[in-house]
Amino acid sequence: MHSLRDQNRKALYSMEPIFEIDSSIATRPTDYIDGLIELLQKFSKLAESTGLNIQPYSTAALQKFKSYPPHNQKIIYDSLAIYCSVIIDIINQGVPFYNNRQSLWKTFKRLGVFPNSDLMSTIDEKDVIEIYLPNNTQCFRNWHYFQYTSYTIGDLITFTWPELFEHQMSDEYSKIAERIFKGEQKDPVYFDVAPYLAKEKFSSQKLSVHIRPKVIAPLVHKDTRRNEGLIVAWEIKIVG
């Protein structure tokens, strides 16, 4: 089995790398936890270089990660590696990571997916953006997102949305996500609704925010032509 470093070298080091990953780490499925810890620590330092203070992980996040089978651990690790590589590319090219459209197109390219509509014309530069995988974990969130959460990056990539938040969100959104990953929803779904309240369950500050969804849309894999991800755009405001 090839090491995770070998598998992700091209993605992580296509530009001059900001950090290195020890080649002895994560060479077997049982070592994914060590690889993840190192990558989370590097991510935290990378964020710090852009002026953001993001804690790498909590004990709960590591315990959650260990509970997953190796296949799911690999998905989470690879997604974070792609996320880091996108940030590196953007920083090295002098593009502000707060630029939603440019950072999203780079992410789509790395994931091998694309929106099958004019979705990007509806994305505002102030929107909070997330991309989810079929296992309901995030593989991307834009820099705006971190203004509205006190969770660690480890929490965000290992726990699902219902595990992270108490919320008043309609189950309509989860049903749309289910239809997307079943291949039944081909087009974006746009919303014009009032904000709802979401409270962090176990983060350091347990923030409360008002969230207004703008759009949920499928992301289609360039090879399989199946829905392999979904993108969500939100308007968020801290209320407590």
Side-chain angles (χ1 to χ4, degrees):
M1 179 177 178
H2 296 295
S3 71
L4 291 182
R5 182 174 187 256
D6 291 334
Q7 293 171 11
N8 295 297
R9 175 182 283 276
K10 288 185 179 180
L12 283 167
Y13 307 144
S14 58
M15 307 293 291
E16 181 180 354
I18 291 177
F19 57 80
E20 293 284 346
I21 298 179
D22 186 344
S23 61
S24 66
I25 288 181
T27 56
R28 302 180 305 279
T30 53
D31 294 328
Y32 277 104
I33 184 64
D34 297 319
L36 184 79
I37 288 172
E38 184 188 33
L39 198 53
L40 288 169
Q41 291 172 335
K42 301 302 184 182
F43 177 89
S44 181
K45 292 180 180 179
L46 182 60
E48 185 178 359
S49 73
T50 71
L52 276 178
N53 180 20
I54 304 174
Q55 295 302 308
Y57 55 83
S58 64
T59 300
L62 299 185
Q63 291 174 340
K64 182 69 173 179
F65 184 78
K66 290 178 181 178
S67 72
Y68 288 120
H71 173 72
N72 295 73
Q73 292 182 3
K74 183 180 185 301
I75 290 174
I76 293 171
Y77 180 97
D78 288 349
S79 298
L80 181 59
I82 292 170
Y83 186 28
C84 289
S85 72
V86 170
I87 299 172
I88 290 170
D89 281 358
I90 293 172
I91 292 175
N92 286 345
Q93 294 177 27
V95 177
F97 197 69
Y98 286 98
N99 186 309
N100 274 340
R101 292 185 179 88
Q102 292 191 45
S103 60
L104 281 173
W105 280 119
K106 289 184 178 297
T107 304
F108 295 156
K109 183 177 180 180
R110 289 299 174 87
L111 292 174
V113 298
F114 60 90
N116 60 353
S117 66
D118 62 349
L119 170 74
M120 298 301 286
S121 65
T122 68
I123 298 293
D124 187 85
E125 288 304 315
K126 294 182 179 180
D127 288 341
V128 171
I129 307 294
E130 299 173 273
I131 295 177
Y132 284 85
L133 299 174
N135 64 0
N136 204 28
T137 57
Q138 292 178 347
C139 69
F140 175 88
R141 71 287 308 152
N142 64 347
W143 251 206
H144 294 299
Y145 183 95
F146 294 104
Q147 300 177 53
Y148 304 105
T149 184
S150 60
Y151 278 119
T152 70
I153 185 66
D155 296 326
L156 296 173
I157 65 173
T158 56
F159 287 94
T160 63
W161 170 267
E163 292 170 328
L164 292 169
F165 295 95
E166 296 176 4
H167 59 83
Q168 301 170 344
M169 182 173 65
S170 166
D171 62 359
E172 175 186 3
Y173 307 118
S174 60
K175 290 179 180 178
I176 293 171
E178 289 178 8
R179 293 203 303 271
I180 286 175
F181 289 125
K182 288 180 179 179
E184 300 170 355
Q185 182 70 42
K186 304 295 185 181
D187 299 315
V189 179
Y190 296 94
F191 300 94
D192 183 15
V193 296
Y196 66 86
L197 183 66
K199 299 180 180 180
E200 295 178 338
K201 288 185 177 181
F202 60 87
S203 64
S204 59
Q205 298 181 41
K206 294 186 178 179
L207 295 178
S208 296
V209 295
H210 274 155
I211 300 179
R212 189 182 78 83
K214 292 182 60 176
V215 61
I216 301 177
L219 295 174
V220 180
H221 195 276
K222 63 182 180 62
D223 297 324
T224 66
R225 300 293 168 171
R226 293 186 305 216
N227 295 344
E228 299 285 352
L230 69 82
I231 183 171
V232 188
W234 314 87
E235 292 178 355
I236 301 181
K237 180 181 179 181
I238 295 176
V239 295

